[in-house]
Amino acid sequence: MRNKFYNRLEVLEKEQQQLLQRVNEIEQGNGVVNRYKFPVLTAAHTPVFWRYDLNSKTNPYLMERFGINAVLNAGAIKWNEKYIVIARVEAADRKSFFAVAESQNGIDNFKFWDYPVVMPETGISDTNTYDMRLVQHEDGWIYGLFCTERRDPKASEADQTSAIAQCGIARTKDLISWERLNDLETPSPQQRNVVLHPEFVDGKYAFYTRPQDSFIEAGKGGGIGFGLSESIEKAKIEKEVVIDKKIYHTVYEMKNGLGPAPIKTKLGWLHLAHGVRNTAAGLRYVLYMFMTDLNDLTKIIYKPAGYFMAPEGDERTGDVSNVVFSNGWIADEDGTVFIYYASSDTRLHVATTTVNQLLDYVVNTPADGFRSAETVKSLTALIDKNLSEQLVKVENGQSENKARTSLK
């Protein structure tokens, strides 16, 4: 039995080492982003000593004692010259917690820190915490904003699904020790996908919100909201305005929320968001982009039609199928952008692009006309442009050929 234990342990550790050291392979993209072949984090990437009791006396069969179901929606930050993600790790008991993983290059060899994040609680315990947005704020703190979920105390005993979601706030200087602040207060009954703007606005803390009427349904207040708070320690938004609302027959007709904190560019603030629509097969989550004015964060100045990224291939399958979701990206000093996105609530991927490519995409991609006729008009304009330019090339080519013939 002892030999079987250590033989099995050797195989487990060898398999994980191969996984952690696997080189990721870039896959040709659509000119906007490049996906990579392998997920950067999965349940199998979590340390063996998280999942197994490695004592042959207390676990002679080397059984898995702590099951990990999925690793998904991760906040991201460049810190101490390393690419850091704080992932949502979902245990087999359905409870999520946060764990830090780091990489030297941002695309592979991500390795979890030995211990998960110990997140302090407020006076009301969190049943579940997930989907942290990481923000390096100009006040000097690193903030983590996340969803804290608790059972609805007004629900009947027969109803064990009704919940209340709010925005939890914590801050740190080292990503190890966290100070928990009060949950964000807003005029909305519930909140998810709240993001802290990295800069002060009129001396106040600025938040992007997603007001909800209930735990599942966005309701009449759905959309990406915006509000200001005098304080971060006791954050409270008195006035919440929706800057990007749900719209019928779009990729964000049911729900939409901001992903990571926006990237500041020379033209405006780049935003990555998720949109949800209903299909015969269920809800479909995609990513889309828009840009807001540098000085007026509530003013959208560019917004391409449709989705920026959608599930492809194996990304379509998982615990919640047909989903891509992102709450973390990193803009490097050289302009490279690393987008960390989860597929089907199961695994974490990376895609790369540049700030210049994103600017080109957001500024020059046609906006949504919200009618089939407008979609055809946009396509026709592109076809006309391409065919007319092709005709010019052909005519120029014929002229050159005639000139060469006459010279002979």
Side-chain angles (χ1 to χ4, degrees):
M1 182 66 71
R2 181 179 175 84
N3 287 337
K4 287 184 178 180
F5 176 95
Y6 285 106
N7 287 341
R8 175 164 158 73
L9 178 59
E10 183 179 354
V11 171
L12 286 173
E13 291 180 334
K14 182 178 180 180
E15 288 178 347
Q16 187 179 61
Q17 197 64 18
Q18 289 175 341
L19 178 65
L20 297 182
Q21 294 178 350
R22 180 175 62 188
V23 176
N24 220 340
E25 300 175 14
I26 196 168
E27 295 186 330
Q28 188 65 32
N30 60 356
V32 186
V33 296
N34 287 314
R35 280 170 156 93
Y36 283 77
K37 182 177 181 180
F38 304 116
V40 294
L41 288 176
T42 66
H45 283 78
T46 58
V48 172
F49 56 82
W50 283 16
R51 291 175 278 134
Y52 294 87
D53 174 357
L54 302 182
N55 188 310
S56 61
K57 293 181 180 180
T58 54
N59 190 19
Y61 296 100
L62 195 55
M63 294 181 179
E64 188 177 77
R65 298 296 197 204
F66 190 93
I68 301 294
N69 181 62
V71 177
L72 58 159
N73 309 346
I77 192 171
K78 186 76 172 290
W79 189 71
N80 288 345
E81 300 304 314
K82 293 180 180 178
Y83 298 84
I84 303 289
V85 296
I86 299 189
R88 170 184 178 179
V89 181
E90 186 182 83
D93 63 7
R94 199 185 166 193
K95 310 303 184 296
S96 294
F97 57 90
F98 301 117
V100 181
E102 66 177 49
S103 166
Q104 293 289 345
N105 61 16
I107 58 173
D108 54 27
N109 301 154
F110 273 93
K111 184 179 180 181
F112 279 104
W113 290 3
D114 286 350
Y115 289 91
V117 171
V118 178
M119 182 58 66
E121 293 187 302
T122 62
I124 306 175
S125 296
D126 314 291
T127 299
N128 202 29
T129 55
Y130 48 90
D131 299 356
M132 180 183 287
R133 275 78 171 171
L134 279 172
V135 178
Q136 176 72 67
H137 197 272
E138 69 169 312
D139 72 0
W141 286 94
I142 298 172
Y143 288 91
L145 275 68
F146 53 89
C147 183
T148 171
E149 177 187 323
R150 307 171 177 102
R151 185 175 183 272
D152 187 347
K154 296 180 181 178
S156 67
E157 187 64 25
D159 180 4
Q160 293 297 327
T161 62
S162 294
I164 295 176
Q166 295 295 347
C167 169
I169 305 175
R171 62 186 179 186
T172 182
K173 289 290 181 72
D174 58 10
L175 303 180
I176 299 173
S177 298
W178 292 82
E179 177 189 1
R180 182 73 178 266
L181 307 177
N182 287 0
D183 292 349
L184 176 66
E185 290 185 43
T186 72
S188 175
Q190 300 205 35
Q191 286 286 354
R192 287 204 199 190
N193 303 299
V194 178
V195 180
L196 179 65
H197 190 71
E199 296 181 359
F200 286 113
V201 175
D202 298 330
K204 300 177 182 179
Y205 289 90
F207 294 86
Y208 302 95
T209 63
R210 193 182 83 182
Q212 294 195 185
D213 290 351
S214 67
F215 181 66
I216 299 297
E217 299 296 329
K220 63 182 181 182
I224 297 174
F226 181 82
L228 301 175
S229 173
E230 296 280 356
S231 166
I232 192 67
E233 288 80 7
K234 296 181 179 180
K236 184 175 183 179
I237 294 174
E238 298 285 356
K239 182 180 179 182
E240 187 178 23
V241 296
V242 173
I243 63 172
D244 189 32
K245 65 181 182 178
K246 301 179 300 176
I247 297 178
Y248 168 71
H249 214 79
T250 63
V251 297
Y252 45 90
E253 67 182 6
M254 285 196 66
K255 290 186 281 189
N256 56 330
L258 202 62
I263 295 173
K264 190 175 188 178
T265 74
K266 58 187 178 182
L267 299 182
W269 290 93
L270 280 173
H271 294 263
L272 180 64
H274 67 270
V276 186
R277 70 179 179 95
N278 207 358
T279 74
L283 299 182
R284 174 174 165 85
Y285 279 68
V286 298
L287 303 178
Y288 70 96
M289 292 194 68
F290 61 93
M291 181 187 290
T292 55
D293 186 82
L294 279 173
N295 299 310
D296 183 356
L297 300 178
T298 66
K299 181 182 179 182
I300 294 178
I301 55 177
Y302 294 105
K303 185 179 179 183
Y307 60 75
F308 167 69
M309 292 180 68
E312 294 184 0
D314 292 341
E315 295 173 356
R316 296 177 183 271
T317 61
D319 276 7
V320 184
S321 298
N322 211 12
V323 170
V324 289
F325 186 93
S326 177
N327 50 289
W329 62 2
I330 294 172
D332 245 340
E333 292 181 357
D334 66 356
T336 303
V337 178
F338 299 78
I339 301 171
Y340 297 97
Y341 68 99
S343 68
S344 297
D345 282 14
T346 301
R347 60 197 79 83
L348 186 71
H349 307 261
V350 66
T352 56
T353 182
T354 66
V355 169
N356 285 339
Q357 284 173 281
L358 294 179
L359 289 175
D360 190 319
Y361 168 77
V362 170
V363 172
N364 296 311
T365 302
D368 198 328
F370 306 116
R371 292 166 41 236
S372 294
E374 292 299 318
T375 298
V376 171
K377 188 182 293 184
S378 292
L379 177 57
T380 301
L382 179 61
I383 293 171
D384 286 345
K385 178 177 182 293
N386 286 332
L387 292 185
S388 63
E389 289 180 355
Q390 186 65 29
L391 181 61
V392 169
K393 289 179 181 178
V394 171
E395 290 176 345
N396 287 341
Q398 290 176 342
S399 299
E400 289 175 4
N401 289 334
K402 289 180 181 178
R404 290 194 187 101
T405 302
S406 62
L407 285 173
K408 289 179 179 177

